[in-house]
Each structure stands twice: as C-alpha cells, then as structure tokens.
Amino acid sequence: MALIGILGGMGPLATVDFMEQIIRLTGAARDQEHLPMLVANLPHTPDRSAAITDGGADPLPALLAGIDLLNRNRVGVIAVPCNSAHHWYAQMRAHSEAPLLHIGEVCAAAIAPQVTRAAVLATRGALTAGFYQAALVERGIEPVLPDPDTQQAVSACVAAVKADRLGDAAAHLCAALDALTAQRIEAAVLGCTELPIAARELEMREFALVDSTLELARETVRYALARGWNRPA
Amino acid sequence: MALIGILGGMGPLATVDFMEQIIRLTGAARDQEHLPMLVANLPHTPDRSAAITDGGADPLPALLAGIDLLNRNRVGVIAVPCNSAHHWYAQMRAHSEAPLLHIGEVCAAAIAPQVTRAAVLATRGALTAGFYQAALVERGIEPVLPDPDTQQAVSACVAAVKADRLGDAAAHLCAALDALTAQRIEAAVLGCTELPIAARELEMREFALVDSTLELARETVRYALARGWNRPA
C-alpha cells in the first residue's frame, strides 16, 4: 500500500484544507478510488517564522521527528503544507528516504508564463528565508515584497486563521491585497498555507492569486496518480 | 507526545470534516495549543455496508491493519469516523492497545433527554448491524427507521458525498428528511459521517439533527484535553 505522507499541523486548518484539495483533485467516484494518506498533524512544532526572524525555539528536531514517523510507516512521498517550514527543506530532504516535494518550487512553477511582477505574501520568516524570491527570479519574475504595514496585515491574517477567526483573517488579507494593487503586480503568491483559507472569503482581484496549498496538492495528486496509488493493491 | 489516532478515509471527506470539528472544538489561539493527531486515511478499505448486507469483500483485515498502524505509532486513543465500520467495533477494540471510542454510543448519548422517538439515518449496513437501534432502546428512545424509498435517498446521499457531488447529496438528504417529517420524530440521528456534510447545505428542520461526526469529535476533544494533549511535552 503506497501512502501519501503529510507532515502537517502547521497550522491544523491548513492541513485539513490541503487534504480537502487532494481529495477534490483526485476526482474519485467512490471511497476505493481515493488516495491513501498518512497525516502527521503535529501542531506543537515550534513556530517556524519566529525561529527564522527572532531566534525562537528551533523547529528542526520536531520537523525531523515528523519526517521519521512518516518514513517508518513507509510513505511513498512527503508533502509539508507549511511554507515557512521549507526554510529547513534541505535538512528534511537529506533525512528522508521518501522524496519530499517543495511547496515554493511547485507554486512558483504554477505562475502563468506572461507574469513579470508578482507579490509574495508569506510570513516574515519565509520571506527572510528567501526561497520564493529565488524561485521567482529564476523564472524571470520580479518579486514584489509588502511594505512593513502590509506585512503586518499579512501576519495578522495568518495568526487569525490559526485561531479560527476567518472574518478577521479575510479583512486583514483584503487590506494587504488593496495595498499591493498600487504596485502594478500581475499576480500575488499566497505563500503561506493559512492565506488561501482567508482568500476564499474574498472577491476576485484584477491580478491572479497563486494558492500554494492548491499547487502543492496538484503536484501531490499528480505524483500519486502517476504511480497508481488510487488503485487498491 | 500523545497523539489522537484517527482511522479514516471512510470516506475521505468525512475524515477531513471530523478533523475540522476537532480543530474548531479545541478552541486554540495558536498552532502550539492545538491537538496532535495521526490520521491513517485508508480509503481502499472495502465497503463496510456492502460487506454487511450483500456479502461484499470483508473490510476487517484493512480495519485491523489501520488499528495496528496507529498503535505502532503509540497513539493515545483511536476514533473511527465511519459509522458502518463500528459493526466490527469489538474486533477492533480487542486488537487495539489504545482505547477505541464508539461513534454510535457517543452519538446516542448526545440526544436530548426529552426525546422519545428518533429516526436513524445510516447506511443499510449500519442499520443491519443494529448498534444504533440498541443504543437508542437502551436510553428509552424508540428508533424510527426509513421506509425503503427513504432509505434509497439516504444511500444516494452518502454515495454523492463520497463522489464530492454535494448539491445532489443535499437534495437526496432533503427528500429523506421530508419523508421522515410525517413520522412524528423529535430527532434524526445522522448516523453516517457523510450525512452531516450534506446536512450543512440544508435549512433547519422542526426536529433536531444529531451529527455523529460532531459528537465523536466532541468526545475525542474532551478525552484529549482532559489529558493535556494540547500542551507541548
């Protein structure tokens, strides 16, 4: 039995959202056509962004413990629906027998080819880590980062989703997107898995929103269906 | 680290719904106050209802393999968000080191004490298994079972949720609830974890709907919070 391994709980609602995208994208007509998953939902993992920017507790031991747990149970691939955790992607990959998808890479690859300027909405930690900026520049896309006030709104949105205050979260995200509208961007990367949950409460924008949770789910489903994991052994 | 073990995938959307109820009921303000879970989402488990009523493939080996997987990873309690699978509750419990909650028992216990007649909406398999009827009778509640046409609508609702056709699912459930309105019931047990997903698309009824997913989530959260599993070790 080949299982999709999910290292989650960062945060828990984002993990559930990611699983739901996988289920919807599988397009199954009955239970037995769906994809098996093993989900380690480990919310006690220390805050990733605070560790990167403020010297907070190191999440790497908890991340590696989760990777170990999934490998012990012989998952066939691992997805981590938390962007900031990808600051430790190299360490997690080196530690894992199963291949590890990279949320930032798959998300950057999903931006339409005509886009030349894209905003990156993410935690302060993920922006400090810099993997989104590098992935965009590599594709010839100029990354546009929020000013401090706008970043404050993005961070407040993330915290509100983690506390299940979706109305507040949507208001914060709306303020951030309004501020970015003046920046002549053609796309905005929702580079934190809490942001798409808030975005679903909002109206469409004149620029495209690139949903990192959805793009990671698409890649995960593609990987698993190509290997026939939806078919019972 | 104490983990909540979830044996799921029966079906996958119901598992995600169950996890979401756990997350919401935990009432945490940030990731690190949430409850850790290990979720074995195993949709290839043979159809439980077909095995009970039509001699379909036996799901017990797959159920026990899932129970084994969760125990190998030392979960502290196991919840199975699939009512029909509780036909094999005794075998799963005997096989498990971790305690196993019973969805039918916690759901029946959640019915308001003044209720004397309650409909049971469930798969044909779960009704044949009979644990809901027994749990209601034990509490002095008369179980009311759907007639064949109404049961057909309930089964169609369950199948539609498993195929992610929520509009169809809601229409089938609405037809079933309309038919039951004539039966002088005071409550209807949604005794299949697909049904609450369809019920959320509907308007309120004059009788209470008792949501087996929500009641199992309440009991699971109560169990875990009482043991402090929301606090990092």
Side-chain angles (χ1 to χ4, degrees):
Chain A
M1 179 176 60
L3 290 159
I4 294 170
I6 299 176
L7 179 56
M10 305 175 281
L13 274 184
T15 295
V16 161
D17 183 40
F18 178 62
M19 293 172 68
E20 191 169 334
Q21 304 298 336
I22 287 181
I23 293 163
R24 300 229 133 104
L25 290 166
T26 304
R30 55 195 196 102
D31 287 357
Q32 289 74 21
E33 297 168 5
H34 276 284
L35 290 164
M37 314 179 205
L38 183 65
V39 185
N41 187 76
L42 307 177
H44 297 167
T45 306
D47 189 277
R48 285 69 59 200
S49 185
I52 299 168
T53 59
D54 304 325
D58 184 4
L60 186 58
L63 293 173
L64 296 184
I67 294 287
D68 275 344
L69 186 159
L70 294 171
N71 275 289
R72 270 201 312 275
N73 292 283
R74 287 187 287 213
V75 298
V77 69
I78 295 178
V80 186
C82 169
N83 284 274
S84 308
H86 285 68
H87 179 57
W88 295 273
Y89 176 80
Q91 292 96 319
M92 289 192 287
R93 188 185 50 182
H95 200 75
S96 181
E97 202 175 316
L100 189 64
L101 303 179
H102 192 304
I103 194 169
E105 292 297 329
V106 301
C107 189
I111 299 175
Q114 66 274 21
V115 169
T116 59
R117 271 171 68 83
V120 184
L121 280 70
T123 63
R124 281 195 189 85
L127 293 180
T128 302
F131 56 82
Y132 266 110
Q133 295 95 310
L136 293 185
V137 167
E138 196 177 296
R139 283 167 178 79
I141 302 168
E142 185 187 346
V144 176
L145 303 189
D147 63 33
D149 279 355
T150 309
Q151 182 59 44
Q152 189 67 40
V154 173
S155 300
C157 172
V158 172
V161 171
K162 287 178 185 292
D164 195 20
R165 293 183 284 106
L166 297 193
D168 292 352
H172 289 304
L173 182 58
C174 194
L177 293 174
D178 284 347
L180 286 162
T181 302
Q183 298 280 322
R184 295 177 298 109
I185 55 169
E186 297 139 24
V189 173
L190 301 180
C192 169
T193 53
E194 269 73 32
L195 298 175
I197 297 172
R200 282 183 209 121
E201 315 270 314
L202 300 181
E203 306 215 338
M204 301 272 286
R205 295 268 157 182
E206 64 249 52
F207 45 85
L209 298 180
V210 186
D211 175 339
S212 58
T213 306
L214 175 62
E215 298 308 333
L216 183 63
R218 281 192 173 129
E219 183 60 24
T220 306
V221 168
R222 209 177 289 134
Y223 191 98
L225 291 184
R227 287 158 181 79
W229 296 355
N230 55 328
R231 292 190 294 273
Chain B
M1 181 175 60
L3 291 158
I4 294 169
I6 299 175
L7 179 55
M10 305 176 280
L13 274 184
T15 294
V16 160
D17 182 40
F18 178 62
M19 292 172 69
E20 191 169 334
Q21 304 298 338
I22 287 181
I23 294 164
R24 298 229 134 104
L25 290 167
T26 304
R30 56 196 195 100
D31 287 358
Q32 290 73 21
E33 297 167 6
H34 277 284
L35 291 164
M37 314 179 204
L38 183 65
V39 186
N41 187 76
L42 307 176
H44 297 166
T45 306
D47 188 277
R48 285 68 60 200
S49 186
I52 299 169
T53 59
D54 304 325
D58 183 5
L60 185 59
L63 293 172
L64 295 183
I67 294 286
D68 275 344
L69 187 160
L70 294 171
N71 276 289
R72 270 201 311 276
N73 292 283
R74 288 188 287 214
V75 299
V77 69
I78 295 178
V80 186
C82 169
N83 284 274
S84 307
H86 285 69
H87 178 57
W88 295 272
Y89 176 82
Q91 291 97 318
M92 290 192 286
R93 187 185 52 181
H95 201 74
S96 181
E97 202 174 316
L100 190 64
L101 303 179
H102 192 304
I103 195 170
E105 291 296 329
V106 301
C107 189
I111 299 175
Q114 68 274 21
V115 169
T116 58
R117 270 170 69 82
V120 183
L121 280 71
T123 63
R124 281 195 189 86
L127 293 181
T128 302
F131 56 81
Y132 266 110
Q133 296 93 310
L136 294 184
V137 167
E138 197 177 296
R139 284 167 179 81
I141 301 167
E142 185 187 347
V144 176
L145 303 189
D147 62 34
D149 281 355
T150 309
Q151 183 59 43
Q152 189 68 39
V154 172
S155 300
C157 171
V158 172
V161 171
K162 287 179 185 292
D164 195 19
R165 293 184 284 106
L166 297 193
D168 291 353
H172 289 304
L173 182 58
C174 194
L177 292 174
D178 283 348
L180 286 161
T181 301
Q183 297 281 323
R184 294 177 298 108
I185 55 168
E186 298 139 24
V189 173
L190 302 179
C192 169
T193 52
E194 270 72 33
L195 298 175
I197 296 172
R200 281 183 210 119
E201 315 269 314
L202 300 180
E203 306 216 336
M204 301 272 285
R205 294 270 156 181
E206 63 249 52
F207 46 84
L209 298 180
V210 186
D211 175 339
S212 58
T213 306
L214 176 62
E215 297 309 333
L216 183 63
R218 281 191 173 131
E219 183 60 24
T220 306
V221 169
R222 208 177 291 134
Y223 191 97
L225 291 184
R227 287 159 180 79
W229 296 354
N230 55 328
R231 292 190 294 273

